[in-house]
Amino acid sequence: MTLHIEERDDRVVATLDRPEKRNAIDQETIDALHELCAALEASPRTLIVTGSDGIFAAGADIAQLRDRTADDARRGINAMAFIRVRELPMPVIAAIDGYALGGGAELAYAADIRIATPSLRIGNPETGLGIIAAAGATWRLPEIVGDARASELLLTGRALDAEEALRWGLVSSLHPSDELLSAAHAIADRITANDPLATQHTKRALRAPRAQHPAIEFELQAELFASPEKHRRMTAFLERKNR
């Protein structure tokens, strides 16, 4: 099993678990991600993605990549799995310890929230291997850090350390390794305390193309304004305020 799953009522923790290969993402991992996404599409919960043994994922499995053909490239094997992760209804938190390179970095880019440890090394060395970062980096990374910084990283293949990733906004906070999962769960706790439908609609609005704004907010807000949960939560707020 290359992806260890821990299920709770309100969240799922998925741990990349190929320590002998530094958690490199292989076809079995991709298949497991699709299976996990199917479950979370049917029963939306927050997802925490992390890695075992002090490494997030040192990349895609190079032995498998070396044997892939042009037809495999057109199928977007890793890219389609990461798109599915990104489009999950509830937030995805990447808790990144150590290396997140190549496909590992692209999986992290697909998350809504990224936190890391001081040992983080994140980047895309694909051009040094004769390929491009085709599982989302060329379009997700500019959205996260801007065109100039994304171009530098992808064209040079260098990796960022933790402090630089934090300054660039690639991760939102740093935590000691033994506190990383607790920090991810604390974020999930705050998400869980909010209205699930409002959270899902916020994620939809965040992901929507610029051309859909502001109309998409109006429609999503209209649905929420008509929900009993909005009335219940606002009534409870006013009652607390008036005590």
Side-chain angles (χ1 to χ4, degrees):
M1 181 184 296
T2 62
L3 191 69
H4 177 76
I5 305 297
E6 176 194 342
E7 296 199 46
R8 301 188 185 184
D9 290 342
D10 59 2
R11 73 198 63 174
V12 172
V13 180
T15 304
L16 299 163
D17 194 17
R18 296 184 73 206
E20 73 285 358
K21 297 292 186 179
R22 299 199 301 173
N23 299 333
I25 297 171
D26 64 350
Q27 185 63 57
E28 184 179 347
T29 306
I30 292 297
D31 293 342
L33 281 172
H34 279 296
E35 184 176 344
L36 173 61
C37 286
L40 292 176
E41 289 158 359
S43 178
R45 284 167 287 173
T46 297
L47 171 62
I48 298 171
V49 181
T50 192
S52 64
D53 283 15
I55 296 174
F56 185 73
D61 190 299
I62 302 301
Q64 290 187 5
L65 274 181
R66 184 182 59 184
D67 294 335
R68 285 183 182 171
T69 65
D71 286 340
D72 290 326
R74 293 186 180 98
R75 288 167 54 208
I77 294 169
N78 290 8
M80 298 310 295
F82 299 165
I83 287 171
R84 199 169 180 185
V85 169
R86 177 62 173 169
E87 293 181 351
L88 286 172
M90 289 291 283
V92 178
I93 303 164
I96 314 165
D97 194 4
Y99 288 106
L101 301 174
E106 290 177 298
L107 174 57
Y109 302 156
D112 300 289
I113 299 168
R114 286 168 296 280
I115 62 174
T117 66
S119 65
L120 173 70
R121 296 284 291 176
I122 187 167
N124 293 90
E126 281 88 346
T127 53
L129 296 170
I131 59 174
I132 68 171
T138 58
W139 50 280
R140 282 203 187 95
L141 194 54
E143 293 174 352
I144 298 167
V145 301
D147 289 341
R149 285 172 163 169
S151 294
E152 180 196 333
L153 284 184
L154 295 177
L155 294 174
T156 66
R158 80 179 182 92
L160 298 180
D161 64 22
E163 290 296 336
E164 198 166 15
L166 182 62
R167 288 198 304 272
W168 283 22
L170 187 51
V171 298
S172 57
S173 59
L174 300 177
H175 307 270
S177 182
D178 60 354
E179 297 176 12
L180 181 65
L181 262 185
S182 294
H185 280 295
I187 294 170
D189 288 342
R190 290 185 65 89
I191 291 169
T192 300
N194 298 327
D195 175 30
L197 185 60
T199 298
Q200 291 176 45
H201 280 7
T202 298
K203 180 167 176 175
R204 283 185 60 192
L206 282 166
R207 291 202 330 265
R210 179 65 183 85
Q212 294 183 16
H213 297 279
I216 188 170
E217 281 91 353
F218 301 162
E219 290 304 316
L220 295 171
Q221 191 77 301
E223 183 178 343
L224 292 169
F225 271 24
S227 73
E229 184 65 6
K230 171 245 189 181
H231 186 271
R232 186 192 71 79
R233 284 176 175 263
M234 289 191 175
T235 299
F237 172 83
L238 290 171
E239 288 174 350
R240 290 195 302 269
K241 184 178 178 181
N242 292 329
R243 284 175 188 165

